[in-house]
Amino acid sequence: PPQCRSGANCSDLTAAHLELMHPPLCDKGMACPQKGQSNHIMRHVATACRYGNNCNLYNNSTHWKQFTHPFLQPCENLFRCTRLAEAGHTKHRSHICPWGENCKDRKAEAHCRMYLHIVRHRCANGKTCTDHSETHWQTFSHAGTRDIRPPCKHGVECSKRHDGPHRKEAQ
């Protein structure tokens, strides 16, 4: 097969392009301390993150450079973004899916490009859970309930803030 023109600088991992001849991949990838040295003729590419769309290392810049992810670069205000209505912002930044592991769109490529799905431990009591403390709801995932609930419009003044069904719907 013909040789890739980019040589050791090639980062194209598409199937069609990989039919071209390339220098071998460096097992240290983008973290290789010899990357760019003339006596180290290896390809350095970012490989797929083993955590995929459930990666919780999204704010680690070293991890972000070393691995590719199925989602766009995360928003700097990931959990409380006020720019979700701006098409220009959401076109270039991913956000947290409020449904987390309970999301029904986790297999949809377009959805997974725009949203990270942070996996929480499941509550051992499932649908029969009676612990309505905020710490519990922020730590554990509950079937059929958003992991990230919108704030209650009444805030801390809400008379239902300790009510189980209301707690499932709002913080």
PDB file of all heavy atoms in Angstrom, residues 105-143:
ATOM      1  N   ASP A 105     -31.586   7.784  26.101  1.00  0.00           N
ATOM      2  CA  ASP A 105     -30.927   8.109  24.834  1.00  0.00           C
ATOM      3  C   ASP A 105     -29.432   7.791  24.859  1.00  0.00           C
ATOM      4  O   ASP A 105     -28.688   8.269  24.015  1.00  0.00           O
ATOM      5  CB  ASP A 105     -31.101   9.604  24.517  1.00  0.00           C
ATOM      6  CG  ASP A 105     -32.539   9.965  24.231  1.00  0.00           C
ATOM      7  OD1 ASP A 105     -33.243   9.146  23.628  1.00  0.00           O
ATOM      8  OD2 ASP A 105     -32.945  11.072  24.622  1.00  0.00           O
ATOM      9  N   ARG A 106     -28.974   6.992  25.790  1.00  0.00           N
ATOM     10  CA  ARG A 106     -27.538   6.716  25.943  1.00  0.00           C
ATOM     11  C   ARG A 106     -26.908   6.028  24.741  1.00  0.00           C
ATOM     12  O   ARG A 106     -25.703   6.042  24.586  1.00  0.00           O
ATOM     13  CB  ARG A 106     -27.291   5.864  27.190  1.00  0.00           C
ATOM     14  CG  ARG A 106     -27.385   6.696  28.444  1.00  0.00           C
ATOM     15  CD  ARG A 106     -27.089   5.898  29.656  1.00  0.00           C
ATOM     16  NE  ARG A 106     -25.670   5.525  29.663  1.00  0.00           N
ATOM     17  CZ  ARG A 106     -25.157   4.690  30.520  1.00  0.00           C
ATOM     18  NH1 ARG A 106     -25.905   4.121  31.419  1.00  0.00           N
ATOM     19  NH2 ARG A 106     -23.884   4.405  30.496  1.00  0.00           N
ATOM     20  N   LYS A 107     -27.710   5.427  23.894  1.00  0.00           N
ATOM     21  CA  LYS A 107     -27.171   4.751  22.706  1.00  0.00           C
ATOM     22  C   LYS A 107     -27.232   5.641  21.461  1.00  0.00           C
ATOM     23  O   LYS A 107     -26.701   5.294  20.427  1.00  0.00           O
ATOM     24  CB  LYS A 107     -27.927   3.451  22.462  1.00  0.00           C
ATOM     25  CG  LYS A 107     -27.883   2.499  23.650  1.00  0.00           C
ATOM     26  CD  LYS A 107     -27.250   1.202  23.282  1.00  0.00           C
ATOM     27  CE  LYS A 107     -27.350   0.192  24.385  1.00  0.00           C
ATOM     28  NZ  LYS A 107     -26.288   0.180  25.305  1.00  0.00           N
ATOM     29  N   ALA A 108     -27.880   6.791  21.557  1.00  0.00           N
ATOM     30  CA  ALA A 108     -28.021   7.708  20.427  1.00  0.00           C
ATOM     31  C   ALA A 108     -26.736   8.525  20.267  1.00  0.00           C
ATOM     32  O   ALA A 108     -26.354   9.279  21.163  1.00  0.00           O
ATOM     33  CB  ALA A 108     -29.216   8.627  20.632  1.00  0.00           C
ATOM     34  N   GLU A 109     -26.065   8.364  19.135  1.00  0.00           N
ATOM     35  CA  GLU A 109     -24.773   9.013  18.907  1.00  0.00           C
ATOM     36  C   GLU A 109     -24.844  10.534  19.034  1.00  0.00           C
ATOM     37  O   GLU A 109     -23.984  11.152  19.652  1.00  0.00           O
ATOM     38  CB  GLU A 109     -24.245   8.625  17.525  1.00  0.00           C
ATOM     39  CG  GLU A 109     -22.813   9.006  17.304  1.00  0.00           C
ATOM     40  CD  GLU A 109     -22.265   8.487  15.985  1.00  0.00           C
ATOM     41  OE1 GLU A 109     -22.629   7.381  15.563  1.00  0.00           O
ATOM     42  OE2 GLU A 109     -21.472   9.222  15.380  1.00  0.00           O
ATOM     43  N   ALA A 110     -25.885  11.151  18.451  1.00  0.00           N
ATOM     44  CA  ALA A 110     -26.006  12.617  18.514  1.00  0.00           C
ATOM     45  C   ALA A 110     -26.172  13.087  19.955  1.00  0.00           C
ATOM     46  O   ALA A 110     -25.583  14.089  20.364  1.00  0.00           O
ATOM     47  CB  ALA A 110     -27.184  13.081  17.658  1.00  0.00           C
ATOM     48  N   HIS A 111     -26.961  12.375  20.736  1.00  0.00           N
ATOM     49  CA  HIS A 111     -27.168  12.732  22.144  1.00  0.00           C
ATOM     50  C   HIS A 111     -25.861  12.584  22.925  1.00  0.00           C
ATOM     51  O   HIS A 111     -25.490  13.457  23.714  1.00  0.00           O
ATOM     52  CB  HIS A 111     -28.257  11.840  22.753  1.00  0.00           C
ATOM     53  CG  HIS A 111     -28.479  12.071  24.218  1.00  0.00           C
ATOM     54  ND1 HIS A 111     -29.186  13.152  24.708  1.00  0.00           N
ATOM     55  CD2 HIS A 111     -28.077  11.367  25.298  1.00  0.00           C
ATOM     56  CE1 HIS A 111     -29.206  13.095  26.026  1.00  0.00           C
ATOM     57  NE2 HIS A 111     -28.541  12.021  26.414  1.00  0.00           N
ATOM     58  N   CYS A 112     -25.156  11.487  22.690  1.00  0.00           N
ATOM     59  CA  CYS A 112     -23.910  11.221  23.420  1.00  0.00           C
ATOM     60  C   CYS A 112     -22.794  12.180  23.030  1.00  0.00           C
ATOM     61  O   CYS A 112     -21.846  12.357  23.787  1.00  0.00           O
ATOM     62  CB  CYS A 112     -23.475   9.773  23.208  1.00  0.00           C
ATOM     63  SG  CYS A 112     -24.547   8.634  24.091  1.00  0.00           S
ATOM     64  N   ARG A 113     -22.894  12.794  21.870  1.00  0.00           N
ATOM     65  CA  ARG A 113     -21.907  13.801  21.484  1.00  0.00           C
ATOM     66  C   ARG A 113     -22.108  15.090  22.288  1.00  0.00           C
ATOM     67  O   ARG A 113     -21.162  15.796  22.599  1.00  0.00           O
ATOM     68  CB  ARG A 113     -22.039  14.079  19.985  1.00  0.00           C
ATOM     69  CG  ARG A 113     -21.009  15.026  19.443  1.00  0.00           C
ATOM     70  CD  ARG A 113     -20.893  14.915  17.936  1.00  0.00           C
ATOM     71  NE  ARG A 113     -20.101  15.961  17.370  1.00  0.00           N
ATOM     72  CZ  ARG A 113     -18.798  16.116  17.530  1.00  0.00           C
ATOM     73  NH1 ARG A 113     -18.137  15.279  18.271  1.00  0.00           N
ATOM     74  NH2 ARG A 113     -18.153  17.106  16.959  1.00  0.00           N
ATOM     75  N   MET A 114     -23.339  15.366  22.658  1.00  0.00           N
ATOM     76  CA  MET A 114     -23.671  16.604  23.363  1.00  0.00           C
ATOM     77  C   MET A 114     -23.700  16.459  24.889  1.00  0.00           C
ATOM     78  O   MET A 114     -23.632  17.447  25.592  1.00  0.00           O
ATOM     79  CB  MET A 114     -25.051  17.102  22.910  1.00  0.00           C
ATOM     80  CG  MET A 114     -25.172  17.331  21.414  1.00  0.00           C
ATOM     81  SD  MET A 114     -23.969  18.473  20.747  1.00  0.00           S
ATOM     82  CE  MET A 114     -24.450  19.976  21.520  1.00  0.00           C
ATOM     83  N   TYR A 115     -23.826  15.215  25.380  1.00  0.00           N
ATOM     84  CA  TYR A 115     -24.002  15.008  26.821  1.00  0.00           C
ATOM     85  C   TYR A 115     -23.088  13.928  27.384  1.00  0.00           C
ATOM     86  O   TYR A 115     -22.909  12.882  26.774  1.00  0.00           O
ATOM     87  CB  TYR A 115     -25.447  14.613  27.137  1.00  0.00           C
ATOM     88  CG  TYR A 115     -26.429  15.708  26.839  1.00  0.00           C
ATOM     89  CD1 TYR A 115     -27.139  15.723  25.643  1.00  0.00           C
ATOM     90  CD2 TYR A 115     -26.644  16.729  27.751  1.00  0.00           C
ATOM     91  CE1 TYR A 115     -28.040  16.738  25.363  1.00  0.00           C
ATOM     92  CE2 TYR A 115     -27.545  17.747  27.473  1.00  0.00           C
ATOM     93  CZ  TYR A 115     -28.232  17.742  26.287  1.00  0.00           C
ATOM     94  OH  TYR A 115     -29.114  18.745  26.021  1.00  0.00           O
ATOM     95  N   LEU A 116     -22.544  14.176  28.564  1.00  0.00           N
ATOM     96  CA  LEU A 116     -21.796  13.187  29.339  1.00  0.00           C
ATOM     97  C   LEU A 116     -22.796  12.487  30.244  1.00  0.00           C
ATOM     98  O   LEU A 116     -23.756  13.104  30.708  1.00  0.00           O
ATOM     99  CB  LEU A 116     -20.780  13.859  30.260  1.00  0.00           C
ATOM    100  CG  LEU A 116     -19.558  14.519  29.697  1.00  0.00           C
ATOM    101  CD1 LEU A 116     -19.840  15.903  29.238  1.00  0.00           C
ATOM    102  CD2 LEU A 116     -18.507  14.526  30.768  1.00  0.00           C
ATOM    103  N   HIS A 117     -22.565  11.227  30.510  1.00  0.00           N
ATOM    104  CA  HIS A 117     -23.440  10.460  31.395  1.00  0.00           C
ATOM    105  C   HIS A 117     -22.614   9.987  32.585  1.00  0.00           C
ATOM    106  O   HIS A 117     -21.955   8.959  32.523  1.00  0.00           O
ATOM    107  CB  HIS A 117     -24.064   9.283  30.645  1.00  0.00           C
ATOM    108  CG  HIS A 117     -25.003   9.737  29.582  1.00  0.00           C
ATOM    109  ND1 HIS A 117     -24.567  10.124  28.334  1.00  0.00           N
ATOM    110  CD2 HIS A 117     -26.338   9.908  29.601  1.00  0.00           C
ATOM    111  CE1 HIS A 117     -25.612  10.509  27.619  1.00  0.00           C
ATOM    112  NE2 HIS A 117     -26.690  10.388  28.360  1.00  0.00           N
ATOM    113  N   ILE A 118     -22.630  10.770  33.634  1.00  0.00           N
ATOM    114  CA  ILE A 118     -21.869  10.446  34.835  1.00  0.00           C
ATOM    115  C   ILE A 118     -22.599   9.321  35.570  1.00  0.00           C
ATOM    116  O   ILE A 118     -23.787   9.421  35.856  1.00  0.00           O
ATOM    117  CB  ILE A 118     -21.716  11.673  35.758  1.00  0.00           C
ATOM    118  CG1 ILE A 118     -21.074  12.840  34.998  1.00  0.00           C
ATOM    119  CG2 ILE A 118     -20.934  11.324  37.009  1.00  0.00           C
ATOM    120  CD1 ILE A 118     -19.700  12.568  34.436  1.00  0.00           C
ATOM    121  N   VAL A 119     -21.867   8.268  35.849  1.00  0.00           N
ATOM    122  CA  VAL A 119     -22.468   7.108  36.511  1.00  0.00           C
ATOM    123  C   VAL A 119     -22.310   7.242  38.019  1.00  0.00           C
ATOM    124  O   VAL A 119     -21.219   7.470  38.521  1.00  0.00           O
ATOM    125  CB  VAL A 119     -21.807   5.796  36.017  1.00  0.00           C
ATOM    126  CG1 VAL A 119     -22.369   4.602  36.748  1.00  0.00           C
ATOM    127  CG2 VAL A 119     -22.005   5.647  34.516  1.00  0.00           C
ATOM    128  N   ARG A 120     -23.418   7.116  38.710  1.00  0.00           N
ATOM    129  CA  ARG A 120     -23.421   7.129  40.176  1.00  0.00           C
ATOM    130  C   ARG A 120     -23.742   5.716  40.655  1.00  0.00           C
ATOM    131  O   ARG A 120     -24.302   4.919  39.915  1.00  0.00           O
ATOM    132  CB  ARG A 120     -24.511   8.076  40.697  1.00  0.00           C
ATOM    133  CG  ARG A 120     -24.282   9.508  40.350  1.00  0.00           C
ATOM    134  CD  ARG A 120     -25.396  10.353  40.908  1.00  0.00           C
ATOM    135  NE  ARG A 120     -25.168  11.759  40.609  1.00  0.00           N
ATOM    136  CZ  ARG A 120     -25.950  12.716  41.021  1.00  0.00           C
ATOM    137  NH1 ARG A 120     -27.008  12.450  41.746  1.00  0.00           N
ATOM    138  NH2 ARG A 120     -25.687  13.964  40.705  1.00  0.00           N
ATOM    139  N   HIS A 121     -23.452   5.452  41.900  1.00  0.00           N
ATOM    140  CA  HIS A 121     -23.855   4.173  42.487  1.00  0.00           C
ATOM    141  C   HIS A 121     -25.373   4.165  42.579  1.00  0.00           C
ATOM    142  O   HIS A 121     -25.989   5.191  42.892  1.00  0.00           O
ATOM    143  CB  HIS A 121     -23.251   3.987  43.883  1.00  0.00           C
ATOM    144  CG  HIS A 121     -21.766   3.859  43.860  1.00  0.00           C
ATOM    145  ND1 HIS A 121     -21.129   2.737  43.405  1.00  0.00           N
ATOM    146  CD2 HIS A 121     -20.797   4.724  44.215  1.00  0.00           C
ATOM    147  CE1 HIS A 121     -19.824   2.908  43.496  1.00  0.00           C
ATOM    148  NE2 HIS A 121     -19.594   4.118  43.973  1.00  0.00           N
ATOM    149  N   ARG A 122     -25.962   3.017  42.331  1.00  0.00           N
ATOM    150  CA  ARG A 122     -27.418   2.897  42.457  1.00  0.00           C
ATOM    151  C   ARG A 122     -27.801   2.766  43.931  1.00  0.00           C
ATOM    152  O   ARG A 122     -27.113   2.099  44.692  1.00  0.00           O
ATOM    153  CB  ARG A 122     -27.919   1.679  41.699  1.00  0.00           C
ATOM    154  CG  ARG A 122     -27.900   1.886  40.207  1.00  0.00           C
ATOM    155  CD  ARG A 122     -28.956   0.974  39.583  1.00  0.00           C
ATOM    156  NE  ARG A 122     -29.073   1.247  38.174  1.00  0.00           N
ATOM    157  CZ  ARG A 122     -29.895   2.148  37.653  1.00  0.00           C
ATOM    158  NH1 ARG A 122     -30.666   2.852  38.428  1.00  0.00           N
ATOM    159  NH2 ARG A 122     -29.955   2.340  36.362  1.00  0.00           N
ATOM    160  N   CYS A 123     -28.899   3.381  44.297  1.00  0.00           N
ATOM    161  CA  CYS A 123     -29.424   3.260  45.648  1.00  0.00           C
ATOM    162  C   CYS A 123     -29.843   1.805  45.861  1.00  0.00           C
ATOM    163  O   CYS A 123     -30.540   1.230  45.028  1.00  0.00           O
ATOM    164  CB  CYS A 123     -30.615   4.196  45.827  1.00  0.00           C
ATOM    165  SG  CYS A 123     -31.486   3.978  47.388  1.00  0.00           S
ATOM    166  N   ALA A 124     -29.419   1.213  46.957  1.00  0.00           N
ATOM    167  CA  ALA A 124     -29.729  -0.194  47.250  1.00  0.00           C
ATOM    168  C   ALA A 124     -31.225  -0.422  47.438  1.00  0.00           C
ATOM    169  O   ALA A 124     -31.726  -1.537  47.216  1.00  0.00           O
ATOM    170  CB  ALA A 124     -28.974  -0.643  48.492  1.00  0.00           C
ATOM    171  N   ASN A 125     -31.958   0.627  47.801  1.00  0.00           N
ATOM    172  CA  ASN A 125     -33.397   0.482  48.041  1.00  0.00           C
ATOM    173  C   ASN A 125     -34.247   0.716  46.795  1.00  0.00           C
ATOM    174  O   ASN A 125     -35.459   0.546  46.836  1.00  0.00           O
ATOM    175  CB  ASN A 125     -33.840   1.427  49.157  1.00  0.00           C
ATOM    176  CG  ASN A 125     -33.150   1.098  50.454  1.00  0.00           C
ATOM    177  OD1 ASN A 125     -33.040  -0.062  50.827  1.00  0.00           O
ATOM    178  ND2 ASN A 125     -32.640   2.103  51.130  1.00  0.00           N
ATOM    179  N   GLY A 126     -33.614   1.148  45.714  1.00  0.00           N
ATOM    180  CA  GLY A 126     -34.327   1.329  44.448  1.00  0.00           C
ATOM    181  C   GLY A 126     -35.538   2.228  44.564  1.00  0.00           C
ATOM    182  O   GLY A 126     -35.499   3.298  45.183  1.00  0.00           O
ATOM    183  N   LYS A 127     -36.660   1.773  43.997  1.00  0.00           N
ATOM    184  CA  LYS A 127     -37.887   2.578  43.977  1.00  0.00           C
ATOM    185  C   LYS A 127     -38.534   2.713  45.351  1.00  0.00           C
ATOM    186  O   LYS A 127     -39.409   3.541  45.544  1.00  0.00           O
ATOM    187  CB  LYS A 127     -38.887   1.981  42.988  1.00  0.00           C
ATOM    188  CG  LYS A 127     -38.447   2.124  41.551  1.00  0.00           C
ATOM    189  CD  LYS A 127     -39.493   1.598  40.593  1.00  0.00           C
ATOM    190  CE  LYS A 127     -39.023   1.813  39.165  1.00  0.00           C
ATOM    191  NZ  LYS A 127     -40.010   1.385  38.176  1.00  0.00           N
ATOM    192  N   THR A 128     -38.119   1.893  46.305  1.00  0.00           N
ATOM    193  CA  THR A 128     -38.709   1.966  47.645  1.00  0.00           C
ATOM    194  C   THR A 128     -37.894   2.844  48.600  1.00  0.00           C
ATOM    195  O   THR A 128     -38.128   2.850  49.795  1.00  0.00           O
ATOM    196  CB  THR A 128     -38.841   0.552  48.248  1.00  0.00           C
ATOM    197  OG1 THR A 128     -37.537  -0.013  48.368  1.00  0.00           O
ATOM    198  CG2 THR A 128     -39.738  -0.335  47.392  1.00  0.00           C
ATOM    199  N   CYS A 129     -36.950   3.600  48.063  1.00  0.00           N
ATOM    200  CA  CYS A 129     -36.079   4.454  48.871  1.00  0.00           C
ATOM    201  C   CYS A 129     -36.899   5.476  49.665  1.00  0.00           C
ATOM    202  O   CYS A 129     -37.800   6.122  49.135  1.00  0.00           O
ATOM    203  CB  CYS A 129     -35.085   5.178  47.970  1.00  0.00           C
ATOM    204  SG  CYS A 129     -33.998   6.292  48.875  1.00  0.00           S
ATOM    205  N   THR A 130     -36.559   5.603  50.936  1.00  0.00           N
ATOM    206  CA  THR A 130     -37.236   6.582  51.798  1.00  0.00           C
ATOM    207  C   THR A 130     -36.274   7.650  52.323  1.00  0.00           C
ATOM    208  O   THR A 130     -36.673   8.512  53.091  1.00  0.00           O
ATOM    209  CB  THR A 130     -37.900   5.878  53.007  1.00  0.00           C
ATOM    210  OG1 THR A 130     -36.899   5.146  53.715  1.00  0.00           O
ATOM    211  CG2 THR A 130     -39.020   4.951  52.549  1.00  0.00           C
ATOM    212  N   ASP A 131     -35.006   7.581  51.914  1.00  0.00           N
ATOM    213  CA  ASP A 131     -34.018   8.575  52.342  1.00  0.00           C
ATOM    214  C   ASP A 131     -34.125   9.782  51.406  1.00  0.00           C
ATOM    215  O   ASP A 131     -33.750   9.717  50.247  1.00  0.00           O
ATOM    216  CB  ASP A 131     -32.606   7.991  52.285  1.00  0.00           C
ATOM    217  CG  ASP A 131     -31.551   8.941  52.833  1.00  0.00           C
ATOM    218  OD1 ASP A 131     -31.842  10.154  52.965  1.00  0.00           O
ATOM    219  OD2 ASP A 131     -30.439   8.465  53.115  1.00  0.00           O
ATOM    220  N   HIS A 132     -34.656  10.872  51.892  1.00  0.00           N
ATOM    221  CA  HIS A 132     -34.873  12.053  51.054  1.00  0.00           C
ATOM    222  C   HIS A 132     -33.875  13.166  51.335  1.00  0.00           C
ATOM    223  O   HIS A 132     -34.099  14.313  50.947  1.00  0.00           O
ATOM    224  CB  HIS A 132     -36.311  12.560  51.210  1.00  0.00           C
ATOM    225  CG  HIS A 132     -37.318  11.510  50.879  1.00  0.00           C
ATOM    226  ND1 HIS A 132     -37.428  10.939  49.632  1.00  0.00           N
ATOM    227  CD2 HIS A 132     -38.240  10.903  51.652  1.00  0.00           C
ATOM    228  CE1 HIS A 132     -38.383  10.036  49.649  1.00  0.00           C
ATOM    229  NE2 HIS A 132     -38.896   9.982  50.862  1.00  0.00           N
ATOM    230  N   SER A 133     -32.754  12.821  51.970  1.00  0.00           N
ATOM    231  CA  SER A 133     -31.739  13.846  52.237  1.00  0.00           C
ATOM    232  C   SER A 133     -31.047  14.233  50.930  1.00  0.00           C
ATOM    233  O   SER A 133     -30.886  13.413  50.031  1.00  0.00           O
ATOM    234  CB  SER A 133     -30.708  13.337  53.248  1.00  0.00           C
ATOM    235  OG  SER A 133     -29.906  12.325  52.665  1.00  0.00           O
ATOM    236  N   GLU A 134     -30.645  15.477  50.841  1.00  0.00           N
ATOM    237  CA  GLU A 134     -29.985  15.972  49.625  1.00  0.00           C
ATOM    238  C   GLU A 134     -28.675  15.234  49.375  1.00  0.00           C
ATOM    239  O   GLU A 134     -28.342  14.903  48.241  1.00  0.00           O
ATOM    240  CB  GLU A 134     -29.749  17.476  49.718  1.00  0.00           C
ATOM    241  CG  GLU A 134     -29.297  18.091  48.422  1.00  0.00           C
ATOM    242  CD  GLU A 134     -30.274  17.882  47.259  1.00  0.00           C
ATOM    243  OE1 GLU A 134     -31.498  17.834  47.475  1.00  0.00           O
ATOM    244  OE2 GLU A 134     -29.790  17.761  46.115  1.00  0.00           O
ATOM    245  N   THR A 135     -27.930  14.935  50.426  1.00  0.00           N
ATOM    246  CA  THR A 135     -26.667  14.203  50.274  1.00  0.00           C
ATOM    247  C   THR A 135     -26.913  12.850  49.622  1.00  0.00           C
ATOM    248  O   THR A 135     -26.187  12.447  48.708  1.00  0.00           O
ATOM    249  CB  THR A 135     -25.986  14.017  51.650  1.00  0.00           C
ATOM    250  OG1 THR A 135     -25.758  15.306  52.211  1.00  0.00           O
ATOM    251  CG2 THR A 135     -24.669  13.267  51.507  1.00  0.00           C
ATOM    252  N   HIS A 136     -27.930  12.150  50.070  1.00  0.00           N
ATOM    253  CA  HIS A 136     -28.257  10.839  49.495  1.00  0.00           C
ATOM    254  C   HIS A 136     -28.620  10.979  48.017  1.00  0.00           C
ATOM    255  O   HIS A 136     -28.131  10.231  47.175  1.00  0.00           O
ATOM    256  CB  HIS A 136     -29.413  10.190  50.268  1.00  0.00           C
ATOM    257  CG  HIS A 136     -29.838   8.879  49.702  1.00  0.00           C
ATOM    258  ND1 HIS A 136     -29.153   7.705  49.944  1.00  0.00           N
ATOM    259  CD2 HIS A 136     -30.876   8.552  48.887  1.00  0.00           C
ATOM    260  CE1 HIS A 136     -29.744   6.714  49.306  1.00  0.00           C
ATOM    261  NE2 HIS A 136     -30.804   7.205  48.655  1.00  0.00           N
ATOM    262  N   TRP A 137     -29.452  11.957  47.681  1.00  0.00           N
ATOM    263  CA  TRP A 137     -29.907  12.120  46.294  1.00  0.00           C
ATOM    264  C   TRP A 137     -28.776  12.575  45.374  1.00  0.00           C
ATOM    265  O   TRP A 137     -28.794  12.301  44.188  1.00  0.00           O
ATOM    266  CB  TRP A 137     -31.090  13.083  46.232  1.00  0.00           C
ATOM    267  CG  TRP A 137     -32.337  12.351  46.626  1.00  0.00           C
ATOM    268  CD1 TRP A 137     -32.817  12.168  47.884  1.00  0.00           C
ATOM    269  CD2 TRP A 137     -33.216  11.651  45.757  1.00  0.00           C
ATOM    270  NE1 TRP A 137     -33.945  11.405  47.851  1.00  0.00           N
ATOM    271  CE2 TRP A 137     -34.222  11.074  46.556  1.00  0.00           C
ATOM    272  CE3 TRP A 137     -33.254  11.453  44.380  1.00  0.00           C
ATOM    273  CZ2 TRP A 137     -35.254  10.314  46.026  1.00  0.00           C
ATOM    274  CZ3 TRP A 137     -34.287  10.706  43.844  1.00  0.00           C
ATOM    275  CH2 TRP A 137     -35.272  10.138  44.662  1.00  0.00           C
ATOM    276  N   GLN A 138     -27.787  13.268  45.911  1.00  0.00           N
ATOM    277  CA  GLN A 138     -26.651  13.685  45.086  1.00  0.00           C
ATOM    278  C   GLN A 138     -25.595  12.591  44.966  1.00  0.00           C
ATOM    279  O   GLN A 138     -24.755  12.651  44.089  1.00  0.00           O
ATOM    280  CB  GLN A 138     -26.016  14.956  45.660  1.00  0.00           C
ATOM    281  CG  GLN A 138     -26.878  16.165  45.445  1.00  0.00           C
ATOM    282  CD  GLN A 138     -26.223  17.441  45.946  1.00  0.00           C
ATOM    283  OE1 GLN A 138     -25.112  17.429  46.461  1.00  0.00           O
ATOM    284  NE2 GLN A 138     -26.916  18.548  45.784  1.00  0.00           N
ATOM    285  N   THR A 139     -25.658  11.598  45.816  1.00  0.00           N
ATOM    286  CA  THR A 139     -24.679  10.516  45.809  1.00  0.00           C
ATOM    287  C   THR A 139     -25.156   9.304  45.023  1.00  0.00           C
ATOM    288  O   THR A 139     -24.370   8.667  44.311  1.00  0.00           O
ATOM    289  CB  THR A 139     -24.354  10.079  47.268  1.00  0.00           C
ATOM    290  OG1 THR A 139     -23.938  11.224  47.994  1.00  0.00           O
ATOM    291  CG2 THR A 139     -23.270   9.024  47.294  1.00  0.00           C
ATOM    292  N   PHE A 140     -26.426   8.974  45.130  1.00  0.00           N
ATOM    293  CA  PHE A 140     -26.949   7.746  44.528  1.00  0.00           C
ATOM    294  C   PHE A 140     -27.929   8.018  43.390  1.00  0.00           C
ATOM    295  O   PHE A 140     -28.651   9.006  43.394  1.00  0.00           O
ATOM    296  CB  PHE A 140     -27.641   6.885  45.596  1.00  0.00           C
ATOM    297  CG  PHE A 140     -26.708   6.407  46.659  1.00  0.00           C
ATOM    298  CD1 PHE A 140     -26.626   7.063  47.876  1.00  0.00           C
ATOM    299  CD2 PHE A 140     -25.888   5.311  46.437  1.00  0.00           C
ATOM    300  CE1 PHE A 140     -25.747   6.634  48.859  1.00  0.00           C
ATOM    301  CE2 PHE A 140     -25.005   4.873  47.411  1.00  0.00           C
ATOM    302  CZ  PHE A 140     -24.939   5.535  48.622  1.00  0.00           C
ATOM    303  N   SER A 141     -27.944   7.086  42.451  1.00  0.00           N
ATOM    304  CA  SER A 141     -28.880   7.138  41.330  1.00  0.00           C
ATOM    305  C   SER A 141     -30.121   6.330  41.708  1.00  0.00           C
ATOM    306  O   SER A 141     -30.013   5.281  42.354  1.00  0.00           O
ATOM    307  CB  SER A 141     -28.198   6.523  40.098  1.00  0.00           C
ATOM    308  OG  SER A 141     -29.020   6.618  38.985  1.00  0.00           O
ATOM    309  N   HIS A 142     -31.289   6.834  41.308  1.00  0.00           N
ATOM    310  CA  HIS A 142     -32.559   6.168  41.598  1.00  0.00           C
ATOM    311  C   HIS A 142     -33.292   5.917  40.280  1.00  0.00           C
ATOM    312  O   HIS A 142     -33.434   6.843  39.475  1.00  0.00           O
ATOM    313  CB  HIS A 142     -33.418   7.037  42.519  1.00  0.00           C
ATOM    314  CG  HIS A 142     -32.815   7.244  43.865  1.00  0.00           C
ATOM    315  ND1 HIS A 142     -31.818   8.169  44.089  1.00  0.00           N
ATOM    316  CD2 HIS A 142     -33.038   6.620  45.051  1.00  0.00           C
ATOM    317  CE1 HIS A 142     -31.470   8.116  45.370  1.00  0.00           C
ATOM    318  NE2 HIS A 142     -32.187   7.191  45.968  1.00  0.00           N
ATOM    319  N   ALA A 143     -33.732   4.714  40.069  1.00  0.00           N
ATOM    320  CA  ALA A 143     -34.411   4.337  38.823  1.00  0.00           C
ATOM    321  C   ALA A 143     -35.592   5.268  38.548  1.00  0.00           C
ATOM    322  O   ALA A 143     -36.371   5.592  39.432  1.00  0.00           O
ATOM    323  CB  ALA A 143     -34.899   2.890  38.903  1.00  0.00           C
TER     324      ALA A 143
END
